[in-house]
Coordinates of all heavy atoms in Angstrom, one line a residue:
M1 N 0.8 -1.2 0.0 CA 0.0 0.0 0.0 C 0.9 1.3 0.0 O 0.5 2.3 -0.6 CB -1.0 0.0 1.2 CG -1.9 -1.2 1.2 SD -2.8 -1.5 -0.4 CE -3.9 -0.1 -0.4
L2 N 2.0 1.2 0.6 CA 3.0 2.3 0.6 C 3.5 2.5 -0.9 O 3.6 3.6 -1.4 CB 4.1 2.1 1.5 CG 5.1 3.3 1.7 CD1 4.4 4.4 2.5 CD2 6.4 2.8 2.4
L3 N 3.8 1.4 -1.5 CA 4.2 1.4 -2.9 C 3.2 2.0 -3.8 O 3.5 2.8 -4.7 CB 4.6 0.0 -3.4 CG 5.1 -0.1 -4.8 CD1 6.4 0.7 -5.1 CD2 5.5 -1.6 -5.1
V4 N 1.9 1.5 -3.7 CA 0.8 2.1 -4.5 C 0.7 3.6 -4.2 O 0.5 4.4 -5.2 CB -0.5 1.3 -4.2 CG1 -1.7 2.1 -4.8 CG2 -0.4 -0.1 -4.7
T5 N 0.7 4.0 -3.0 CA 0.6 5.4 -2.7 C 1.7 6.2 -3.4 O 1.5 7.3 -4.0 CB 0.7 5.7 -1.2 OG1 -0.3 5.0 -0.5 CG2 0.6 7.1 -0.8
G6 N 3.0 5.7 -3.4 CA 4.1 6.4 -4.0 C 3.9 6.5 -5.5 O 4.2 7.5 -6.1
V7 N 3.4 5.4 -6.1 CA 3.2 5.4 -7.6 C 2.1 6.4 -7.9 O 2.3 7.2 -8.9 CB 2.8 4.0 -8.0 CG1 2.2 4.0 -9.4 CG2 3.9 3.0 -8.0
L8 N 1.0 6.4 -7.2 CA 0.0 7.4 -7.5 C 0.4 8.8 -7.4 O 0.1 9.7 -8.2 CB -1.3 7.1 -6.7 CG -1.9 5.7 -6.9 CD1 -3.1 5.5 -6.0 CD2 -2.3 5.4 -8.3
A9 N 1.2 9.1 -6.3 CA 1.7 10.4 -6.0 C 2.6 10.8 -7.2 O 2.6 12.0 -7.6 CB 2.4 10.5 -4.7
A10 N 3.5 9.9 -7.6 CA 4.5 10.2 -8.7 C 3.8 10.5 -10.0 O 4.2 11.3 -10.8 CB 5.5 9.1 -8.8
L11 N 2.7 9.7 -10.2 CA 1.9 10.0 -11.5 C 1.3 11.4 -11.5 O 1.2 12.1 -12.5 CB 0.9 8.9 -11.7 CG 1.4 7.5 -12.1 CD1 0.2 6.5 -12.1 CD2 2.0 7.6 -13.5
V12 N 0.7 11.8 -10.3 CA 0.1 13.1 -10.2 C 1.2 14.2 -10.4 O 1.0 15.1 -11.2 CB -0.5 13.3 -8.8 CG1 -0.9 14.7 -8.6 CG2 -1.8 12.4 -8.7
E13 N 2.4 14.0 -9.8 CA 3.4 15.0 -9.9 C 3.9 15.0 -11.4 O 4.3 16.1 -11.9 CB 4.6 14.7 -9.0 CG 5.6 15.8 -8.8 CD 6.6 15.8 -9.9 OE1 6.9 14.8 -10.6 OE2 7.2 16.9 -10.1
R14 N 4.0 13.9 -12.0 CA 4.5 13.8 -13.4 C 3.5 14.6 -14.3 O 4.0 15.2 -15.3 CB 4.6 12.4 -13.9 CG 5.2 12.2 -15.2 CD 5.3 10.8 -15.7 NE 4.0 10.3 -16.1 CZ 3.7 9.2 -16.7 NH1 4.7 8.3 -16.9 NH2 2.5 8.8 -17.1
S15 N 2.2 14.6 -14.0 CA 1.3 15.4 -14.8 C 1.6 16.9 -14.8 O 1.2 17.6 -15.7 CB -0.1 15.1 -14.4 OG -0.4 15.7 -13.1
V16 N 2.4 17.3 -13.8 CA 2.8 18.8 -13.7 C 4.2 19.0 -14.3 O 4.4 19.9 -15.1 CB 2.7 19.2 -12.3 CG1 3.2 20.7 -12.1 CG2 1.3 19.1 -11.7
S17 N 5.1 18.1 -13.9 CA 6.5 18.3 -14.2 C 6.9 17.6 -15.6 O 7.9 18.0 -16.2 CB 7.4 17.7 -13.2 OG 7.3 16.3 -13.1
G18 N 6.1 16.6 -16.0 CA 6.5 15.9 -17.2 C 7.6 14.9 -17.0 O 8.1 14.2 -17.9
R19 N 8.0 14.7 -15.7 CA 9.2 13.8 -15.4 C 8.8 12.7 -14.4 O 8.0 12.9 -13.5 CB 10.3 14.6 -14.8 CG 10.8 15.7 -15.7 CD 11.8 16.6 -15.0 NE 12.9 15.9 -14.5 CZ 13.8 16.4 -13.6 NH1 13.6 17.6 -13.1 NH2 14.8 15.6 -13.1
G20 N 9.3 11.6 -14.6 CA 9.2 10.5 -13.7 C 10.1 10.6 -12.5 O 10.9 11.5 -12.5
Q21 N 10.1 9.6 -11.6 CA 11.0 9.5 -10.5 C 11.0 8.1 -9.9 O 10.2 7.3 -10.3 CB 10.7 10.6 -9.5 CG 9.3 10.5 -8.9 CD 9.0 11.6 -7.9 OE1 9.8 11.8 -7.0 NE2 8.0 12.4 -8.2
V22 N 12.0 7.9 -9.0 CA 12.2 6.6 -8.4 C 11.5 6.6 -7.0 O 11.7 7.6 -6.3 CB 13.7 6.3 -8.3 CG1 13.8 4.9 -7.6 CG2 14.4 6.3 -9.6
I23 N 10.8 5.6 -6.7 CA 10.1 5.5 -5.4 C 10.8 4.4 -4.6 O 10.9 3.2 -5.0 CB 8.6 5.1 -5.6 CG1 7.9 6.1 -6.4 CG2 8.0 4.9 -4.2 CD1 6.7 5.6 -7.1
D24 N 11.4 4.7 -3.5 CA 12.0 3.8 -2.6 C 11.0 3.5 -1.5 O 10.9 4.2 -0.5 CB 13.3 4.5 -2.0 CG 14.0 3.6 -0.9 OD1 13.6 2.5 -0.7 OD2 15.0 4.1 -0.3
A25 N 10.3 2.4 -1.7 CA 9.3 2.0 -0.7 C 9.9 0.8 0.1 O 10.2 -0.2 -0.4 CB 8.0 1.5 -1.4
A26 N 10.0 1.0 1.4 CA 10.6 0.0 2.3 C 9.5 -0.4 3.3 O 8.8 0.5 3.9 CB 11.8 0.6 3.0
M27 N 9.5 -1.7 3.6 CA 8.5 -2.1 4.6 C 8.8 -1.6 6.0 O 7.9 -1.4 6.8 CB 8.4 -3.7 4.6 CG 7.7 -4.2 3.4 SD 7.7 -6.0 3.4 CE 8.7 -6.3 1.9
V28 N 10.1 -1.4 6.4 CA 10.3 -0.8 7.7 C 9.8 0.6 7.7 O 9.3 1.1 8.8 CB 11.9 -0.8 8.0 CG1 12.4 -2.2 8.2 CG2 12.7 -0.1 6.9
D29 N 9.8 1.4 6.6 CA 9.2 2.7 6.6 C 7.7 2.7 6.7 O 7.1 3.4 7.4 CB 9.6 3.4 5.3 CG 11.1 3.6 5.2 OD1 11.9 3.5 6.1 OD2 11.6 4.0 4.0
G30 N 7.1 1.8 5.9 CA 5.7 1.7 5.9 C 5.1 1.2 7.2 O 4.1 1.7 7.6
A31 N 5.7 0.2 7.8 CA 5.2 -0.3 9.1 C 5.3 0.8 10.1 O 4.5 0.9 11.0 CB 6.0 -1.6 9.5
S32 N 6.4 1.6 10.1 CA 6.6 2.7 11.0 C 5.5 3.7 10.8 O 5.0 4.3 11.8 CB 8.0 3.3 10.9 OG 9.0 2.3 11.2
L33 N 5.2 4.0 9.5 CA 4.2 5.0 9.3 C 2.8 4.5 9.8 O 2.0 5.3 10.3 CB 4.1 5.2 7.7 CG 3.3 6.4 7.3 CD1 3.8 7.7 7.8 CD2 3.2 6.4 5.7
L34 N 2.5 3.2 9.7 CA 1.3 2.7 10.2 C 1.3 2.8 11.7 O 0.2 2.9 12.4 CB 1.1 1.2 9.8 CG 0.9 0.9 8.4 CD1 0.9 -0.6 8.2 CD2 -0.4 1.5 7.9
M35 N 2.4 2.8 12.3 CA 2.6 2.9 13.8 C 2.5 4.3 14.3 O 2.6 4.5 15.5 CB 3.9 2.2 14.3 CG 3.8 0.7 14.3 SD 2.8 0.0 15.6 CE 3.9 0.4 17.0
Q36 N 2.4 5.3 13.4 CA 2.5 6.7 13.9 C 1.4 7.0 15.0 O 1.7 7.7 15.9 CB 2.4 7.6 12.7 CG 2.4 9.1 13.1 CD 3.6 9.5 13.9 OE1 4.7 8.8 13.8 NE2 3.5 10.5 14.7
P37 N 0.2 6.5 14.9 CA -0.8 6.8 16.0 C -0.2 6.3 17.3 O -0.4 7.0 18.4 CB -2.0 6.1 15.5 CG -1.9 6.0 14.1 CD -0.5 5.8 13.8
V38 N 0.4 5.1 17.3 CA 0.9 4.6 18.6 C 2.1 5.4 19.0 O 2.3 5.7 20.2 CB 1.4 3.1 18.4 CG1 2.0 2.6 19.6 CG2 0.1 2.3 18.0
W39 N 3.0 5.8 18.1 CA 4.1 6.7 18.4 C 3.6 8.0 19.0 O 4.2 8.5 20.0 CB 5.0 7.0 17.2 CG 6.0 5.9 16.8 CD1 5.9 5.1 15.7 CD2 7.1 5.5 17.6 NE1 7.0 4.2 15.8 CE2 7.7 4.4 16.9 CE3 7.7 5.9 18.8 CZ2 8.9 3.8 17.3 CZ3 8.8 5.2 19.2 CH2 9.4 4.2 18.5
G40 N 2.5 8.5 18.4 CA 2.0 9.7 19.0 C 1.5 9.6 20.4 O 1.8 10.4 21.3
M41 N 0.8 8.5 20.7 CA 0.3 8.3 22.1 C 1.5 8.0 23.0 O 1.5 8.4 24.2 CB -0.7 7.1 22.1 CG -2.0 7.5 21.4 SD -3.3 6.2 21.5 CE -2.7 5.0 20.3
F42 N 2.5 7.3 22.5 CA 3.7 7.0 23.3 C 4.4 8.2 23.7 O 4.8 8.5 24.8 CB 4.6 6.0 22.5 CG 5.8 5.6 23.3 CD1 5.7 4.9 24.4 CD2 7.1 6.0 22.8 CE1 6.9 4.5 25.1 CE2 8.2 5.6 23.5 CZ 8.1 4.8 24.6
G43 N 4.5 9.1 22.7 CA 5.2 10.4 23.0 C 4.4 11.3 23.9 O 5.0 12.1 24.6
A44 N 3.1 11.2 23.9 CA 2.3 12.0 24.8 C 2.1 11.4 26.2 O 1.4 11.9 27.0 CB 0.9 12.2 24.1
G45 N 2.7 10.2 26.4 CA 2.6 9.5 27.7 C 1.3 8.7 27.8 O 1.0 8.3 29.0
F46 N 0.6 8.4 26.8 CA -0.7 7.7 26.9 C -0.5 6.2 26.5 O -1.5 5.5 26.6 CB -1.7 8.3 25.9 CG -2.1 9.7 26.3 CD1 -2.3 10.6 25.3 CD2 -2.3 10.1 27.6 CE1 -2.6 12.0 25.6 CE2 -2.6 11.4 27.9 CZ -2.8 12.3 26.9

């Protein structure tokens, strides 16, 4: 799902710039992003 998000975002940006780009989608990044609500509660002491 992180890879799909990156692909769709790059296609939108390409419609403006006319240029492609490389998407580095890593599962450690994506799993951490999914954990952001927990990181938020952890940081707030909850």
Side-chain angles (χ1 to χ4, degrees):
M1 301 310 289
L2 188 74
L3 179 59
V4 168
T5 300
V7 165
L8 298 181
L11 287 174
V12 170
E13 193 279 336
R14 189 183 73 173
S15 69
V16 177
S17 69
R19 300 171 57 194
Q21 58 185 303
V22 182
I23 301 158
D24 175 4
M27 285 178 246
V28 291
D29 298 346
S32 296
L33 191 62
L34 293 176
M35 283 287 288
Q36 179 55 26
V38 175
W39 279 112
M41 289 184 286
F42 181 64
F46 297 139

